[in-house]
Amino acid sequence: MTTTVKIAFLPLNDAAVLVAARDMGFAEAEGLDLELVRTTSWATLRDRLVFGQVHAAQMLAPLAIAVTLGLSQQPAALAAPYKLNVNGNMLVMASDFAQALDQSVAARLADPLGTAHDFAAAIGLWRRKPIIGVVHRFSSHSMMLRYWLASAGIDPDRDVVLRVLPPSLTVEALRAGEIDGFIAGEPWGSAAVEEGLAETVAIGERIWQRGIEKILAFREAWLEDNAETVDRLVRALARAAVWCDNPANHSALAALLANPRYVDQPAELIGRGLSGQIVARSGEAPIAHPDFMLFAREATFFPWRSQALWIYSQLVRWKMVEHSPDNAAKAGAVFRPDIFRRALAESDVAMPGASMKLEGAVNLPLAVGSRRGELTLGPDRFFDGRVFDPEKIDEFLAGFGAPR
């Protein structure tokens, strides 16, 4: 008997694993009929999940934590047993603003700390606050943007204007002059560059190597009541993710995502982000960033609780939530490595033996303990060299100076 699972998603490259699971037969092999519900904004997607219109959703990791902590409209306990991807976003700014930055786009991307200081100087030259589009207040992009800006002494709540708008409307808003730039998941940054509207200033992969992006979120009660279905879905997505990560499949994957039902952008544009060939300025040769976006390798799909707690630390830092042991526990519990392990216990997927790690501590590929097979983690450094210990949140926050 086939089980139907309705999953909400936004038109972004990081819907790839969901699309591949449906269209390449991985879900069908697990007896699942995936009904992918295309949604325009993260607020609408959140409401569809919270109010039970869908069973699961491709969700911004910070948004799932914010909903669980009661920070975003209707509070609800959410659970994330699977990570859909790491990295995959970029910050682009209008060409007239970018002229005040290093004119070597390759140098900009390679040195995010230096570029942040150049960005601060550019704000002074502009003599007005740049308006930067963010896809949601509680997005990984927004958290990374704030972290990056603050490294150069830029106050993201005072020195710039952050305007929330859906990813698919960012390019039009830039064209209309409503914003001066935006940070969003692909392919929207590449679309703005391709039209000559903007240049790439920074990419997420250089701000936090293997920084968390989207997760698969469920209402916790539904996840507990439908354990067998959840396990089948996790298995299907894990197989789809391996297929998506294979460079030999990137052309086929880009063609799938280009379908109007999904991302509805040219396959060539979508393929840039999938392959890590980033065109940072219109007409120039692409710059290779092979780790620009990952789906499976190096345990990408494993829901590390330490990453949930890093997100929580940023919510505290920017006064979006009060720091307390109870709030920290709730935030960390959104990620469910126990469900991931249960679903894949009989598979050949190598998975970490631990559920938390020091975030930002891996500088070179590192072999780690695994419950099955061999597992090597890739570099996960933050651009400023900080290391986040999930058991020392107060010390980590103190390192940024006095509370805001």
Side-chain angles (χ1 to χ4, degrees):
M1 179 178 175
T2 301
T3 304
T4 298
V5 180
K6 296 177 68 174
I7 305 177
F9 77 97
L10 258 64
L12 293 157
N13 283 11
D14 47 29
V17 173
L18 298 173
V19 171
R22 181 190 184 280
D23 287 10
M24 298 306 296
F26 298 106
E28 184 180 10
E30 288 286 346
L32 299 175
D33 174 23
L34 297 192
E35 183 179 333
L36 302 184
V37 181
R38 194 175 193 268
T39 308
T40 301
S41 74
W42 291 113
T44 301
L45 177 141
R46 173 203 61 206
D47 291 346
R48 281 180 165 168
L49 179 63
V50 168
F51 293 110
Q53 295 177 2
V54 294
H55 302 116
Q58 164 209 23
M59 185 171 274
L60 299 158
L63 181 55
I65 292 168
V67 169
T68 299
L69 292 175
L71 308 179
S72 181
Q73 301 296 325
Q74 185 71 22
L78 301 184
Y82 186 92
K83 214 158 84 224
L84 289 167
N85 68 296
V86 297
N87 303 137
N89 65 65
M90 64 168 63
L91 170 66
V92 300
M93 294 295 294
S95 300
D96 55 348
F97 184 92
Q99 286 176 4
L101 306 177
D102 191 321
Q103 285 305 289
S104 167
V105 287
R108 284 183 205 164
L109 304 192
D111 181 16
L113 188 57
T115 302
H117 284 277
D118 289 347
F119 197 97
I123 292 175
L125 291 172
W126 247 32
R127 298 187 180 184
R128 72 172 177 86
K129 298 179 182 181
I131 303 171
I132 305 174
V134 295
V135 300
H136 197 279
R137 184 179 184 220
F138 301 121
S139 67
S140 301
H141 325 13
S142 179
M143 297 296 107
M144 289 189 195
L145 177 65
R146 285 174 170 272
Y147 190 99
W148 179 76
L149 291 172
S151 73
I154 303 168
D155 186 327
D157 293 314
R158 183 193 63 207
D159 300 329
V160 299
V161 177
L162 301 182
R163 181 166 297 171
V164 174
L165 68 167
S168 58
L169 299 184
T170 50
V171 178
E172 180 55 40
L174 187 60
R175 184 186 299 112
E178 297 170 1
I179 57 176
D180 300 305
F182 63 85
I183 185 168
E186 279 291 271
W188 303 108
S190 287
V193 171
E194 183 70 10
E195 289 196 32
L197 298 171
E199 297 180 7
T200 306
V201 171
I203 58 176
E205 186 263 329
R206 297 298 297 173
I207 295 174
W208 179 11
Q209 291 178 290
R210 289 153 183 80
I212 185 169
E213 270 298 325
K214 310 303 188 300
I215 45 91
L216 183 71
F218 298 85
R219 297 184 308 283
E220 186 178 50
W222 192 92
L223 175 138
E224 300 295 353
D225 290 344
N226 295 271
E228 193 259 346
T229 299
V230 170
D231 286 0
R232 283 191 282 156
L233 179 57
V234 169
R235 288 194 293 269
L237 295 180
R239 295 189 187 104
V242 172
W243 185 86
C244 290
D245 248 359
N246 186 340
N249 298 326
H250 285 167
S251 292
L253 178 57
L256 285 179
L257 292 171
N259 190 297
R261 293 179 299 166
Y262 302 131
V263 178
D264 194 20
Q265 287 290 301
E268 188 275 333
L269 207 63
I270 292 169
R272 294 179 188 177
L274 297 177
S275 62
Q277 296 295 315
I278 306 305
V279 177
R281 181 186 288 133
S282 180
E284 294 195 2
I287 303 168
H289 284 275
D291 295 336
F292 181 81
M293 189 175 196
L294 306 180
F295 299 107
R297 59 187 170 93
E298 303 164 3
T300 287
F301 35 38
F302 186 77
W304 293 96
R305 282 188 163 156
S306 48
Q307 294 178 345
L309 288 170
W310 181 85
I311 291 169
Y312 169 75
S313 78
Q314 298 306 296
L315 297 178
V316 172
R317 181 186 180 189
W318 300 111
K319 291 189 173 182
M320 297 177 184
V321 68
E322 181 180 351
H323 186 21
S324 71
D326 183 57
N327 281 339
K330 284 182 180 178
V334 171
F335 284 20
R336 296 293 300 273
D338 57 319
I339 304 297
F340 182 93
R341 291 193 180 100
R342 183 189 71 197
L344 295 165
E346 302 304 319
S347 75
D348 60 356
V349 172
M351 63 188 84
S355 295
M356 296 202 298
K357 61 185 175 74
L358 295 178
E359 298 294 337
V362 180
N363 194 33
L364 297 170
L366 176 68
V368 297
S370 171
R371 297 192 176 188
R372 184 184 295 270
E374 296 180 356
L375 177 61
T376 298
L377 300 181
D380 69 346
R381 302 286 286 177
F382 292 98
F383 75 99
D384 61 359
R386 294 179 190 270
V387 174
F388 173 69
D389 184 339
E391 296 182 347
K392 298 179 179 179
I393 294 176
D394 291 291
E395 290 182 23
F396 180 72
L397 290 171
F400 293 106
R404 290 168 44 78

